[in-house]
Amino acid sequence: MEFDVVIIGAGAAGLYALYRVRGLGLSAKVFEKGDGVGGTWYWNRYPGARCDVESWDYCYTFSEELELEWEWTERFPTQPELERYFNHVADRFDLRRDIEFDTRVDRARFDDDQNRWLISTSNGQTVSARFLISAAGCLSEVNTPRIEGAENFEGRQIHTARWPQGGIDLTGLQVGVIGTGSTGVQAIPQLAKQAEHLFVFQRTPQFGIPAQNRPLDDETLEELKHNYRERWEFKRASSTGMGRHPAEVPAALEVDEATRTQAFEASWARGGPGFARAFSDVMTNAQSNQIASQFVMDKIRGKVTDPAVADSLAAIDHPLGARRVIVEIDYFETYNRPNVTLVDVAADPITEITPQGLRTTAGSYDLDMIVYATGFDGMTGALLAMDIQGVGGLPLRDKWADGAGAYLGLVTSEFPNFFMITGPGSPAVYSNVIFSIEQHVDWITDCLAHMADHDLDRIDADPDAEAEWTRQVHEIAAQSIIGKTDSWWTGSNIEGKRQGITFYLGGTNTYREICDEIAANGYEGFVFSESTSPARA
Ligand code: NA7
């Protein structure tokens, strides 16, 4: 089978890419390893799964009709609601007919002579395409740490991103959860309500800001519809792709203590991921950050009745915002339940999993089930899980062995006609990702239209432009607090992974301007060629 475009993945990025590629009159096929659409929101079905970006921001903006007809029910949408949304999008735009479900892309090889990609899938097909677009996602390759003895455990072990449809009945079970990142923090309060007893194995305590979630009433929905255009303008102007007017705030050190506390209290009461925006300098000034961090740690302590447990949860050793700030609902209060035990595995490390449970240096825990809320091989994991080979059979894994780089995060040299949506070098996970996805897809499909108009068959990145862009990405990251703390953002959660921030921290607004300017200047830094290939459609 031959297509103009093959797209990997039917999550938010793949669905929109398919929509736009079809709009160009090109033939397309999407391969999706799940049996439904939604990507992250298809896979992450664990109890409590919810987006930590507000529903009115975490949605497509490409269709006015879609935006006006869809009604969100809560400030922070749950996984089931998001899955319904992506299903609605797939149906509304008749996308399913070009998606092949339960089909994983295992291998893609660029055929230099034919100027085509040959794509092999888990069900034994090989198809060819002029263009290959990865919409495989930044958080889709799960990370399950290897713990000695895990294979001998007699109970059930499950990663949160592999929670089955229909759920799991935890009634009467002794359950252990490893991991207290965004996922663990969302899942733990819900698991605690169902399990007989829940043991939480925490290695690193984290900042948690209350979501202050709420249902959306008619008045709010009406206002959201009324203002959607204005929000879109704000999204474009903002550095993170969020649709709110950035408030003019002073630096924390410019005001007295009482004013500071009042502002932090107000930000706490508003809730959500924007807590640090109470002042302009929390993310840039160490002293201001320390004051904000202390405020949050005191709040955490105030929620937990057992002082030793409160200490374990609140003794946070990194600056606020250096890891992704967690948005929580009833998380800290959950430790006041009699059926929840916090085990500090930084002080008392996990040594092995036994047939009956889990052992630490100081204790052992009988368990019926182990839940791995242990995250993902972020940014590059899903790309490198496939065997992608560029010119001359160069494996992407080899090209990126010393670190991932792609020009604008979109194209990596020696892999012609291969585009990445939210690839390394783009703002990706450090933004309202669905808005970034739209920008990427629009840029890529405009580029495809440009190539058709100018009879160009092949696009590649100039290696020098790519190296310079990657240098800039690293330079900006080096100035930020987030590059200095271990987390999945730096890749330190994956054994053997080269560490460092691989996303662009210069702001989505600046990034968009750069991408647009490069396109307007004849795609500076990209190399096009006219092909005499017989396969040209
Ligand atoms: P994260 O944020 O990577 O969190 C993973 C958690 O699992 C974190 O608490 C880790 O502790 C813990 N972990 C991982 N391996 C181990 C081992 N071997 N022993 C003990 N604890 C371990 O993943 P999430 O899924 O929560 O969130 C990912 C993103 O999804 C999130 O940022 C949002 O963007 C949505 P550590 O902190 O490494 O000590």
Side-chain angles (χ1 to χ4, degrees), residues 101-426:
F101 292 102
D102 292 313
T103 310
R104 195 183 60 223
V105 169
D106 286 336
R107 187 164 180 239
R109 184 171 65 80
F110 184 69
D111 181 334
D112 213 1
D113 298 332
Q114 295 288 315
N115 206 35
R116 293 186 77 86
W117 281 92
L118 302 176
I119 297 121
S120 307
T121 65
S122 53
N123 59 5
Q125 306 173 68
T126 297
V127 303
S128 91
R130 289 175 56 210
F131 298 100
L132 179 63
I133 300 180
S134 172
C138 299
L139 288 165
S140 43
E141 188 65 18
V142 302
N143 169 41
T144 306
R146 280 174 42 79
I147 300 177
E148 200 185 315
E151 64 284 3
N152 302 323
F153 183 58
E154 287 169 358
R156 183 169 187 176
Q157 304 185 73
I158 189 161
H159 190 283
T160 42
R162 293 293 175 267
W163 211 263
Q165 300 188 27
I168 301 175
D169 183 6
L170 303 177
T171 315
L173 299 187
Q174 306 279 316
V175 177
V177 185
I178 302 174
T180 53
S182 294
T183 299
V185 165
Q186 288 187 342
I188 285 161
Q190 303 306 320
L191 300 177
K193 286 183 199 159
Q194 300 168 23
E196 176 76 16
H197 199 97
L198 187 71
F199 295 90
V200 178
F201 299 95
Q202 171 194 268
R203 193 164 62 182
T204 308
Q206 301 243 52
F207 291 102
I209 308 294
Q212 314 289 21
N213 188 41
R214 60 173 192 275
L216 301 180
D217 56 24
D218 289 347
E219 199 184 328
T220 310
L221 287 170
E222 201 45 51
E223 195 190 318
L224 286 171
K225 283 181 203 259
H226 186 70
N227 294 337
Y228 84 97
R229 208 64 213 166
E230 197 185 2
R231 266 200 326 281
W232 183 78
E233 298 289 351
F234 289 151
K235 284 184 188 183
R236 286 176 70 92
S238 100
S239 62
T240 53
M242 301 296 179
R244 70 180 78 82
H245 203 298
E248 287 287 324
V249 288
L253 299 179
E254 277 171 16
V255 299
D256 61 36
E257 197 183 335
T259 312
R260 219 160 34 218
T261 306
Q262 206 178 15
F264 280 136
E265 288 289 356
S267 196
W268 188 262
R270 276 194 299 277
F275 173 77
R277 282 196 294 271
F279 292 103
S280 62
D281 57 346
V282 172
M283 293 299 288
T284 50
N285 181 297
Q287 199 184 340
S288 302
N289 190 290
Q290 206 277 326
I291 297 169
S293 299
Q294 192 58 51
F295 179 91
V296 179
M297 290 192 275
D298 290 347
K299 285 284 189 193
I300 294 172
R301 278 208 173 79
K303 291 180 181 211
V304 182
T305 47
D306 181 323
V309 177
D311 268 352
S312 289
L313 290 165
I316 302 171
D317 66 354
H318 53 271
L320 178 73
R323 288 174 151 217
R324 178 156 168 146
V325 170
I326 293 171
V327 177
E328 57 89 13
I329 299 176
D330 294 335
Y331 173 66
F332 297 104
E333 293 83 347
T334 296
Y335 292 95
N336 298 332
R337 293 175 65 103
N339 72 330
V340 177
T341 303
L342 180 68
V343 183
D344 177 354
V345 296
D348 175 22
I350 297 170
T351 50
E352 64 170 325
I353 291 176
T354 64
Q356 285 74 42
L358 192 149
R359 203 169 278 157
T360 62
T361 42
S364 72
Y365 302 87
D366 283 351
L367 301 172
D368 301 304
M369 181 168 165
I370 298 174
V371 177
Y372 293 89
T374 45
F376 303 88
D377 182 354
M379 294 300 291
T380 52
L383 284 159
L384 296 180
M386 299 176 279
D387 178 14
I388 300 179
Q389 298 178 16
V391 173
L394 173 68
L396 189 59
R397 288 174 198 148
D398 287 2
K399 178 170 176 193
W400 286 355
D402 291 327
Y407 184 40
L408 303 178
L410 286 160
V411 176
T412 192
S413 63
E414 297 183 87
F415 293 75
N417 293 354
F418 172 49
F419 294 96
M420 287 166 280
I421 303 170
T422 64
S426 75

